[in-house]
Structures are given as structure tokens and as C-alpha cells.
Amino acid sequence: MSRRLGVLISGRGSNLQALIRAIQEGRLDATIAVVISNIADAPGLALAQAAGIETVTISHKGWPSRADFDREVAGALTAHQVDLVCLAGFMRLVGQPLLEAFPNRILNIHPSLLPSFPGIEPQRQALDHGVKVSGVTVHLVTADLDAGPIILQRPVPVVDGDTPVTLAARILEEEHRAYPEAVRLVLEGGWRIEGRRFVALRTTA
Ligand code: GRF
């Protein structure tokens, strides 16, 4: 049975688009049940609507506490019977109410090889540090920022003359391949968490 994804966005939505395309092309057996944005005019909302996906906007502003916002988001995901939550450029920290509603069922994609360069502007951080290789990480979301068990990583070379913009563009191409793959891996099941490690059941022969 096709599993139900909830995708959380705040902006452009190119990773959302990559998930939509992977589903349309049969590379990912899933349905996007809802796209939720905390920003009312996030361009990704239009992408979802164009694909016939239901969208919900829940502003992070005006709540008595951050936990109230989290509870509202968790409620919307639950109401749409979501099995797995994918953060795709969602620019909010995920708090306990959401983590407890979806334990080990929230994924994030980050444009660096974690644990290098967590947080904001990871491509600029990579260039400032002078690394020769950066990349993409898809990980399970925990209470600590960009620090949950790693599901999948892909390296991306840094080349002479790179700027944060050119490096981000090269990494983004890899993100669009990596995210659908990671979601497929998680949906296949049979994995377990050992300490910090995400261990897939199937090993390659
Ligand atoms: C991506 O680089 C993603 O890794 C990071 O935020 C960016 C979102 O881009 N978390 P988009 O909205 O998916 O185009």
C-alpha cells in the first residue's frame, strides 16, 4: 500500500518537486497527503497545488509558545493520516510535540556532509572552511539541530572559483536525487537505530 507523506516547507520547494517527480515517475511508491508551509506565500505551495496536492499554511507567528505551533502542525499531519514527515526547506526547529507525534518518522535534508556545517548557510561555511568535498545528508530529525541518525549521504566536489551560489546549485542537484532515495529506504522498512546509526536491514551482497 502506498504510504502517505507530509512535506513541510518554508520556501522554494525544489526538494518537494523532486519528491513529486519521483512519485510520478514510479521511483517512489508513496502519496503526498499534504504540504504544510509556515509561510503563506512560499513558492512551493504553488508547486504542490499544480500537482493536485492539498496544502495548508500554518504561520509560526502568534502562538503563545513554540509548542503550540508544533501541536498545530502535528494535528494537521495526523488529520491527513501521514505515515512519514519530510522536511524540505522547513526553516523552523522541530519541537517535542511534533517529535513525539512522529517518533523516528521525520526526515530532513541538509546541504552538507553532517556533522560538518550544521545550521544556516552550510555552503558558505564549507567554502569558508576550505573543504574540497561537501555534499548532502538526509537524516532522522531529533531534538538536536541537524544531528539525528544519518540515513544517506552523497558527496559533492567543491571546485576552484565556487561561490556559495554555485556550490549550492551543484549540491541541490544531488539533493534532488538523494531525497527520494532516502524516503524510499525508510519506507521499505526493516531498518533499526543502533546508537547513532541508521542500519538498513538489507545489505548488498
Ligand atoms: C535545500 O538546500 C535543503 O537542503 C535545505 O533548504 C533548501 C531548501 O530548498 N534544508 P528547496 O526549498 O527544497 O528548494
Side-chain angles (χ1 to χ4, degrees):
M1 195 188 70
S2 183
R3 309 300 294 277
R4 295 170 69 80
L5 308 181
V7 183
L8 306 192
I9 65 167
S10 298
R12 181 175 58 182
S14 73
N15 278 289
L16 163 67
Q17 184 71 72
L19 292 171
I20 293 171
R21 195 169 305 132
I23 292 168
Q24 287 171 345
E25 293 174 358
R27 285 180 283 123
L28 178 60
D29 180 16
T31 301
I32 301 180
V34 65
V35 171
I36 300 176
S37 174
N38 65 310
I39 305 289
D41 59 358
L45 288 171
L47 293 178
Q49 286 154 8
I53 298 166
E54 197 176 325
T55 61
V56 176
T57 298
I58 303 174
S59 173
H60 56 282
K61 294 184 184 154
W63 299 95
S65 74
R66 212 184 79 190
D68 291 293
F69 167 70
D70 266 67
R71 266 190 285 277
E72 188 72 15
V73 173
L77 291 165
T78 306
H80 286 83
Q81 296 176 294
V82 161
D83 299 302
L84 190 70
V85 181
C86 299
L87 309 188
F90 182 62
M91 299 302 284
R92 309 300 303 170
L93 288 173
V94 172
Q96 282 307 324
L98 200 44
L99 291 169
E100 282 164 18
F102 294 92
N104 277 342
R105 284 189 293 147
I106 307 178
L107 272 56
N108 183 42
I109 185 159
H110 185 79
S112 76
L113 293 177
L114 291 169
S116 291
F117 317 129
I120 59 164
E121 299 200 82
Q123 302 93 344
R124 183 182 297 278
Q125 291 184 53
L127 289 174
D128 287 350
H129 196 89
V131 295
K132 302 298 187 195
V133 178
S134 190
V136 179
T137 303
V138 182
H139 63 92
L140 291 174
V141 174
T142 60
D144 300 316
L145 178 68
D146 296 333
I150 291 169
I151 298 163
L152 175 156
Q153 290 186 302
R154 294 281 184 266
V156 174
V158 177
V159 301
D160 289 345
D162 257 340
T163 66
V165 172
T166 60
L167 179 58
R170 193 174 317 109
I171 293 174
L172 195 63
E173 282 182 36
E174 198 57 46
E175 291 186 46
H176 296 163
R177 283 188 283 272
Y179 213 0
E181 273 183 48
V183 172
R184 188 168 48 80
L185 205 60
V186 170
L187 290 181
E188 274 176 4
W191 49 268
R192 62 188 185 281
I193 303 296
E194 279 179 13
R196 286 199 39 80
R197 291 174 57 226
F198 175 95
V199 183
L201 183 68
R202 260 195 289 153
T203 50
T204 44

